[in-house]
């Protein structure tokens, strides 16, 4: 895990200020005690993914947990944007080929008592539904014992005067892989549960705030 530079920490603060100014985020905990409990140990935060801003948004609003965000490697190859991403707490991951480097880096993050933010769908949900969660986040959790924390990101990133961007943070899913079960199988079970939890949290936001249109093909009444 690459240590963040002084310039990187400054830029991280700048991004956080920008997020709070533009999108006026509202961070909601399903249980108010979570705010304190989650600071006691590292976790793997998993969330739905509808916009390219999700990584910067989640990294800013969950900043108290010093999280590293998994970002597609292709973003690092873009001029200016890639440089700025590399300054932040982030881990590059390639979805098009076998890539063990991200897993090693993620383990190091957890071992240093920091957390991860992962979007397990593997990309923006363009089909109007929350896609199946891939097993990567579950593998990290199964290997390290870090809890999986489901989060629902809600809103349309309407700047300054529009709808406030929201995130609802759910109860941690504790990780304890049975000795007689392969980690890969346990990871899939974790992610199936996490996906359902995120879907439920998003549905709760829809009930509280109305449908913002991010998932036109989902039925959150179930």
């Amino acid at each position: 895990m690459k240590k963040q530079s002084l310039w990187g920490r400054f830029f991280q603060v700048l991004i956080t200020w920008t997020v709070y100014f533009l999108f006026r985020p509202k961070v909601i905990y399903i249980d108010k005690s979570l705010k304190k409990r989650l600071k006691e140990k590292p976790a793997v935060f998993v969330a739905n993914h509808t916009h390219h801003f999700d990584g910067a948004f989640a990294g800013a609003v969950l900043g108290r947990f010093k999280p590293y965000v998994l970002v597609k490697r292709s973003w690092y190859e873009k001029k200016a944007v890639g440089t700025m991403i590399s300054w932040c707490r982030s881990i590059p991951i390639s979805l098009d080929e076998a890539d063990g480097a991200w897993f090693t880096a993620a383990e190091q993050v957890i071992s240093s008592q920091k957390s991860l933010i992962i979007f397990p769908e593997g990309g923006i949900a363009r089909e109007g539904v929350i896609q199946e969660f891939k097993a990567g986040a579950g593998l990290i959790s199964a290997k390290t014992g870090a809890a999986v924390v489901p989060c629902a990101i809600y809103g349309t990133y309407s700047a300054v005067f529009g709808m406030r961007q929201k995130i609802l943070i759910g109860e941690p899913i504790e990780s304890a892989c049975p000795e007689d079960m392969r980690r890969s199988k346990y990871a899939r079970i974790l992610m199936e549960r996490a996906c359902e939890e995120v879907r439920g949290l998003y549905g709760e936001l829809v009930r509280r705030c109305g449908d913002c249109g991010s998932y036109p093909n989902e039925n959150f009444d179930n």
Side-chain angles (χ1 to χ4, degrees):
M1 180 185 70
K2 184 179 178 181
K3 187 176 180 180
Q4 193 176 28
S5 66
L6 179 62
W7 174 249
R9 291 197 293 272
F10 170 78
F11 187 73
Q12 193 94 48
V13 170
L14 181 61
I15 289 292
T16 298
W17 286 349
T18 302
V19 165
Y20 272 84
F21 172 73
L22 290 178
F23 306 123
R24 301 175 298 121
K26 184 175 182 180
V27 183
I28 310 166
Y29 295 87
I30 202 73
D31 182 327
K32 291 182 179 179
S33 69
L34 274 173
K35 189 173 183 179
K36 180 178 180 180
R37 284 191 280 138
L38 288 172
K39 288 201 73 174
E40 297 174 355
K41 54 185 179 180
V44 181
F45 291 88
V46 296
N48 57 308
H49 195 16
T50 62
H51 199 284
H52 292 309
F53 287 166
D54 286 340
F57 174 79
V61 299
L62 298 176
R64 67 177 60 248
F65 307 114
K66 300 295 187 292
Y68 279 70
V69 183
L70 261 67
V71 181
K72 284 184 181 180
R73 190 178 298 276
S74 58
W75 278 99
Y76 291 81
E77 299 168 0
K78 300 179 184 293
K79 291 183 178 180
V81 173
T83 301
M84 290 187 289
I85 291 173
S86 68
W87 288 340
C88 296
R89 290 187 297 263
S90 64
I91 298 173
I93 179 172
S94 175
L95 301 178
D96 301 320
E97 57 188 23
D99 180 9
W102 77 268
F103 195 92
T104 300
E107 282 188 286
Q108 292 172 350
V109 166
I110 297 297
S111 66
S112 65
Q113 298 301 298
K114 295 180 176 63
S115 293
L116 296 165
I117 297 173
I118 300 177
F119 300 99
E121 291 168 276
I124 292 173
R126 302 185 186 279
E127 305 299 323
V129 296
I130 296 176
Q131 301 290 330
E132 177 183 350
F133 281 11
K134 295 178 172 58
L139 285 170
I140 286 291
S141 178
K143 177 74 180 293
T144 64
V148 173
V149 181
C151 305
I153 298 175
Y154 170 97
T156 57
Y157 290 99
S158 302
V160 186
F161 299 114
M163 174 193 302
R164 293 183 68 180
Q165 197 72 14
K166 301 174 181 66
I167 184 169
L168 178 57
I169 302 170
E171 281 287 344
I173 303 170
E174 297 298 333
S175 176
C177 183
E179 293 184 1
D180 60 347
M181 183 182 292
R182 291 176 301 180
R183 282 188 188 141
S184 58
K185 180 178 179 180
Y186 184 66
R188 289 194 296 273
I189 293 172
L190 277 178
M191 287 300 96
E192 286 173 3
R193 180 178 171 187
C195 186
E196 286 303 309
E197 291 288 336
V198 169
R199 191 177 184 279
L201 291 169
Y202 192 91
E204 177 62 24
L205 287 172
V206 169
R207 285 186 285 275
R208 293 185 189 186
C209 309
D211 187 356
C212 68
S214 294
Y215 295 107
N217 298 322
E218 281 275 21
N219 179 7
F220 292 104
D221 293 331
N222 295 334

